[in-house]
Amino acid sequence: MAKLNDIQLLRINYLRGPNIWTYRPVLEVWLDLGELEDHPSNLLPGFNERLTAWLPALIEHHCGVGERGGFLQRLQEGTWCGHVLEHIVIELLNLAGMPTGFGQTRSTSQRGVYRMVFRARDEQVARMALAQGHGLIMAAINDEPFDVQAAVARVRTEVDDQYLGPSTACIVTAATDRGIPHIRLNDGNLVQLGYGASQRRIWTAETEFTSAIAEGIASDKDLTKSLLKSCGVPIPEGRVVNSPEEAWEAAEDIGLPVVVKPSDGNHGRGVTLDLRKKEDIEAAYHVAYPEGSDVMVESFIPGDEHRLLVVGGKVVAAARGEVVSITGNGRSTVKELIDTQLNSDPRRGYEEEYPLEIIDLATDTKVQLELKRQDLDASSVPAAGRQVVVQRNGNVAVDCTDDVHPEVAYIAQLAAKVVGLDIAGIDMVARDISKPLHAQGGAIVEVNAGPGLLMHLKPAVGAPRPVGQAIAEHLFPSEDGDGQAGRIPVVGVAGTRSTSTIARVVAWLLHLGGHHTGLACREGLFLDRRCVETTDCAHWEAAHRLLMNQMVQAAVIESDARTILRDGLAYDRCQVGVVTDMDGVETLAEFDVHEQDQMTKVMRTQVDVVLAEGAAVLNAAIPQVADLAPLSDGAVVLYAQDATLPVIVEHRATDNGRAVIVKNGRVVLATGSAEHVLGSLSDLTFGRNAVVPDTDALLAAIGAAWALNIAPDLIGAGIKTFEPDLPAPVGLPS
């Protein structure tokens, strides 16, 4: 078969928020199959066999069939290459450690052109997976060689470089599970949990509650020990030294054996244990010196190394370390034995996701010193049966949370409190952590700020611990919330008919209700009535600025069909979602939207994100808008000038449905059969000049305010005091 031309990637668009496909960010790819439109998978010789040989886990993809092997069934029956590429990309992401379950491929109005989307937690990772998947499918089609492992490695490298580290990711995941939104604030691990004034910030295992003073104390091991000792916490005796000779003198004064370590290091770097000889102590000084500002010598406490994680004053996880050793066979060198007996362990790796690190003899001076103490080096050949210690610390990966004695937990919690850390990793040496610490001569040797969580998430032995949940609970206590942890009232206004006016009125009413309100609309960007930008701000970036602002207690955000199709919504969920109309189809040809019926799929996005505690506010005079009502997870408030519309009558008759209507020239708030007159249309005018508003826009704004539980009297008064003229722009203070 002649070589077939490449699938053309016409357009790649990252939808950063809820969109027409799903609630989550996705990468949307426009594909032109070209001549492959005439070659579904079952007509490509050997294609299915090559593909499944390269990616055997495709058997786990259910696809539309809904069962294991479903996608392979589609392959055999014949499916188009755009759909196949979707599954290839998803599988490459799975193999690279970023599991992705969502993808769709749909044809467009142009023959051979498809829109393919897949879940994309990070845009750059998604683009790399797409590039590798594109290369793989073309190689499989044309029977050319392809290095699958290299492709996966490239995607994995992108994951490691671009995505959150495991500690941060586990906290974000725990917050997401509780319905708390997040915004990544930089390319690293600085993340905002929640919106506006309800947000909390984390940076790996540090939070905005982590005191800079406490962090400074924890980084000074000598100061930490003095504070702990003053509060009765057992610590090893020790002191700071300035030379190898001083280290030996200190060891003689303290009493052998001793530990030599940096005064402000972490993660066990530069720490050498159980030193008994002068030459070993002096050599250990040189190992510790590069890792910190000073070097400490302290008494060696016999027992196992333990790490206790304290969050919000409670021990939530504990792990035990083990001495790592190799066994000689009389033939292999130390280096060979380390590679075969230790580095071959699948729990070891270079990336953060592995609970144990690869032991690199060429660069690890601690291991070199440990071997030297045993009169060995990398090229030595230990006798058969000889046990050789390789590492005495830094291998804390055995879960022992359930074994922690109450007194041990109390001392760990006290240590964190004394230093002042809300999240702390307490390094403790004890023979048996299930027994009181004092009785066995145990001690706390370090208190660490920003502790790594991986040892608790992926212990080499034992069950993983829900440390992410513990930190999320610390930041957003369940007893303090009402199911809205991390959220502020967000109002989304979607459509084209007077949407800026609606958004501005709702923002004004929220302001009168006591909220510092942010507004992003076509008429500008406003922070509590202060205009900070006069350009069109009905877009994703402006809305995101509001949600990141710690002053904002409520946000009103205008969107239209183009915004939804181009970027998605800027927020994951909203308290109130307003849809005014389905106009504008004639301007959306570039998105392959040509028919009026297609507008439903676009505009429903605004209704799909309404919270269960919120409400959708819909224009009942437009049947296509009113038909969105069943899609709302929350309540529905309809509005229309004609109170006799069948959809209004039926809605009110069903479960006391709410509607904003006009009867006898008066605006009425109706709940089932009950009616509350807000005021006459002639009185509900804007501002000192009594500007008569568009009636539909007025009803929509009233409906949104009512859905926000703003009192009717305040709504009426607020409408009369709303000034439609824009305030003069004022720049933000520099």
Side-chain angles (χ1 to χ4, degrees):
M1 183 177 177
K3 182 176 179 179
L4 294 170
N5 292 326
D6 273 6
I7 298 171
Q8 298 299 308
L9 307 183
L10 303 177
R11 191 197 318 174
I12 302 173
N13 186 33
Y14 186 52
L15 299 174
R16 296 174 283 185
N19 50 76
I20 64 171
W21 305 98
T22 180
Y23 290 98
R24 305 296 186 190
V26 296
L27 198 70
E28 181 183 65
V29 186
W30 294 64
L31 309 167
D32 186 349
L33 297 187
E35 60 188 317
L36 283 167
E37 176 68 5
D38 298 320
H39 295 82
S41 56
N42 61 330
L43 299 182
L44 294 169
F47 172 73
N48 293 346
E49 291 74 18
R50 286 187 289 274
L51 185 60
T52 52
W54 287 345
L55 300 173
L58 287 174
I59 193 173
E60 302 297 337
H61 292 215
H62 291 197
C63 198
V65 178
E67 60 185 27
R68 186 174 185 267
F71 175 63
L72 298 191
Q73 181 180 327
R74 296 288 303 277
L75 276 179
Q76 298 302 324
E77 294 171 349
T79 189
W80 273 261
C81 287
H83 179 216
V84 178
L85 178 57
E86 168 205 324
H87 282 269
I88 290 173
V89 172
I90 289 173
E91 184 55 29
L92 289 176
L93 287 167
N94 291 342
L95 293 171
M98 186 174 277
T100 302
F102 174 81
Q104 285 188 18
T105 303
R106 297 290 181 265
S107 60
T108 69
S109 58
Q110 185 177 346
R111 186 178 188 276
V113 176
Y114 293 79
R115 292 162 80 181
M116 179 192 79
V117 297
F118 57 92
R119 175 82 166 90
R121 292 178 177 84
D122 180 89
E123 181 178 2
Q124 298 310 313
V125 172
R127 287 178 177 271
M128 176 60 73
L130 173 64
Q132 298 305 310
H134 185 208
L136 189 154
I137 192 172
M138 294 313 304
I141 288 169
N142 291 314
D143 193 13
E144 296 172 344
F146 188 85
D147 190 338
V148 177
Q149 293 307 312
V152 172
R154 292 186 191 101
V155 180
R156 183 183 293 275
T157 297
E158 204 68 20
V159 172
D160 293 336
D161 291 345
Q162 302 292 339
Y163 195 53
L164 300 172
S167 294
T168 309
C170 84
I171 302 169
V172 170
T173 299
T176 301
D177 289 344
R178 285 185 54 188
I180 300 169
H182 73 276
I183 298 173
R184 192 173 180 181
L185 298 177
N186 67 356
D187 293 335
N189 289 291
L190 178 61
V191 177
Q192 169 186 322
L193 302 177
Y195 289 151
S198 294
Q199 69 179 270
R200 297 284 181 261
R201 289 176 180 169
I202 61 170
W203 199 323
T204 59
E206 293 178 301
T207 77
E208 61 184 54
F209 300 137
T210 302
S211 160
I213 294 175
E215 190 176 79
I217 292 171
S219 68
D220 186 332
K221 306 304 180 189
D222 197 36
L223 175 58
T224 298
K225 287 172 60 179
S226 68
L227 292 175
L228 295 180
K229 184 178 180 180
S230 69
C231 294
V233 176
I235 58 168
E237 181 184 354
R239 68 174 188 246
V240 173
V241 297
N242 297 307
S243 69
E245 293 74 22
E246 279 192 36
W248 172 243
E249 292 175 7
E252 288 186 303
D253 293 342
I254 293 169
L256 300 173
V258 296
V259 175
V260 177
K261 65 182 184 181
S263 64
D264 51 2
N266 54 29
H267 301 294
R269 298 186 183 99
V271 180
T272 310
L273 307 177
D274 196 12
L275 298 168
R276 301 168 186 268
K277 298 178 182 178
K278 179 180 180 181
E279 59 269 28
D280 291 341
I281 291 170
E282 292 179 344
Y285 178 93
H286 294 293
V287 172
Y289 183 77
E291 300 293 344
S293 56
D294 289 305
V295 176
M296 291 184 66
V297 176
E298 61 185 30
S299 58
F300 172 70
I301 306 296
D304 292 326
E305 180 185 12
H306 295 81
R307 164 61 68 86
L308 280 70
L309 179 66
V310 178
V311 176
K314 299 178 182 178
V315 171
V316 299
R320 185 179 72 250
E322 293 183 327
V323 175
V324 174
S325 61
I326 54 176
T327 304
N329 58 18
R331 301 184 308 276
S332 304
T333 65
V334 167
K335 183 180 185 309
E336 291 168 343
L337 291 170
I338 288 175
D339 287 339
T340 57
Q341 296 182 15
L342 300 178
N343 287 339
S344 60
D345 188 332
R347 299 170 298 180
R348 292 188 180 273
Y350 290 107
E351 291 82 13
E352 283 187 292
E353 66 184 78
Y354 293 97
L356 299 174
E357 295 180 352
I358 293 289
I359 299 172
D360 188 347
L361 255 179
T363 60
D364 196 327
T365 54
K366 280 174 53 182
V367 174
Q368 294 169 8
L369 178 58
E370 191 62 55
L371 293 173
K372 183 180 178 182
R373 293 169 62 190
Q374 300 167 80
D375 299 319
L376 298 170
D377 59 26
S379 61
S380 301
V381 179
R386 179 181 176 181
Q387 291 290 118
V388 177
V389 174
V390 176
Q391 288 180 327
R392 294 178 184 268
N393 70 324
N395 295 279
V396 182
V398 178
D399 179 74
C400 58
T401 306
D402 295 334
D403 300 330
V404 177
H405 189 277
E407 190 230 37
V408 171
Y410 171 78
I411 291 174
Q413 291 158 190
L414 176 60
K417 184 73 171 178
V418 168
V419 174
L421 291 170
D422 65 321
I423 300 176
I426 310 297
D427 288 341
M428 180 183 294
V429 177
R431 297 180 188 274
D432 186 348
I433 204 169
S434 67
K435 297 179 180 178
L437 195 63
H438 286 86
Q440 58 183 302
I444 287 179
V445 295
E446 285 189 14
V447 176
N448 299 279
L453 305 180
L454 190 60
M455 66 186 74
H456 308 300
L457 297 169
K458 292 185 176 181
V461 178
R465 297 292 168 172
V467 293
Q469 289 91 320
I471 294 174
E473 176 66 23
H474 166 58
L475 294 170
F476 301 97
S478 298
E479 62 269 19
D480 292 348
D482 56 357
Q484 294 297 303
R487 295 196 177 274
I488 60 174
V490 173
V491 180
V493 182
T496 62
R497 299 184 187 179
S498 302
T499 45
S500 289
T501 299
I502 295 167
R504 289 184 58 211
V505 172
V506 173
W508 171 246
L509 294 173
L510 281 165
H511 164 76
L512 293 180
H515 293 85
H516 188 102
T517 305
L519 167 64
C521 66
R522 279 198 286 267
E523 295 180 357
L525 184 68
F526 301 82
L527 292 174
D528 210 32
R529 302 294 296 164
R530 184 161 53 94
C531 179
V532 296
E533 198 165 313
T534 57
T535 58
D536 183 349
C537 287
H539 54 75
W540 192 93
E541 288 81 3
H544 225 226
R545 287 173 60 184
L546 295 182
L547 299 177
M548 291 167 56
N549 192 318
Q550 290 183 306
M551 295 292 291
V552 172
Q553 298 171 328
V556 183
I557 297 168
E558 180 186 356
S559 303
D560 59 17
R562 180 172 292 274
T563 301
I564 294 169
L565 290 165
R566 185 183 63 236
D567 294 311
L569 297 173
Y571 42 89
D572 66 325
R573 305 300 294 266
C574 64
Q575 187 76 17
V576 174
V578 181
V579 179
T580 62
D581 60 89
M582 296 275 185
D583 299 345
V585 65
E586 65 280 355
T587 67
L588 302 175
E590 65 180 289
F591 301 103
D592 199 49
V593 176
H594 304 283
E595 305 294 334
Q596 186 61 41
D597 288 349
Q598 291 177 275
M599 290 297 291
T600 295
K601 185 175 182 181
V602 179
M603 301 306 290
R604 69 167 287 176
T605 306
Q606 181 65 80
V607 178
D608 285 334
V609 299
V610 171
L611 288 161
E613 303 81 14
V617 179
L618 305 175
N619 187 348
I622 302 176
Q624 195 176 3
V625 174
D627 287 345
L628 298 177
L631 302 175
S632 174
D633 289 340
V636 173
V637 177
L638 298 181
Y639 71 90
Q641 297 184 48
D642 184 356
T644 65
L645 285 173
V647 67
I648 293 279
V649 174
E650 181 181 354
H651 178 66
R652 292 180 62 184
T654 305
D655 297 327
N656 285 321
R658 293 193 289 173
V660 183
I661 52 179
V662 177
K663 294 182 73 173
N664 301 319
R666 299 184 298 177
V667 175
V668 174
L669 307 182
T671 304
S673 59
E675 296 183 349
H676 175 86
V677 176
L678 188 68
S680 66
L681 280 173
S682 59
D683 290 337
L684 293 173
T685 55
F686 290 159
R688 65 177 68 89
N689 294 323
V691 176
V692 178
D694 174 82
T695 302
D696 284 337
L698 176 67
L699 298 181
I702 292 171
W706 191 25
L708 288 165
N709 295 318
I710 297 175
D713 288 348
L714 182 58
I715 295 174
I719 289 168
K720 296 174 184 178
T721 56
F722 171 75
E723 293 295 341
D725 292 335
L726 291 173
V730 178
L732 286 172
S734 59

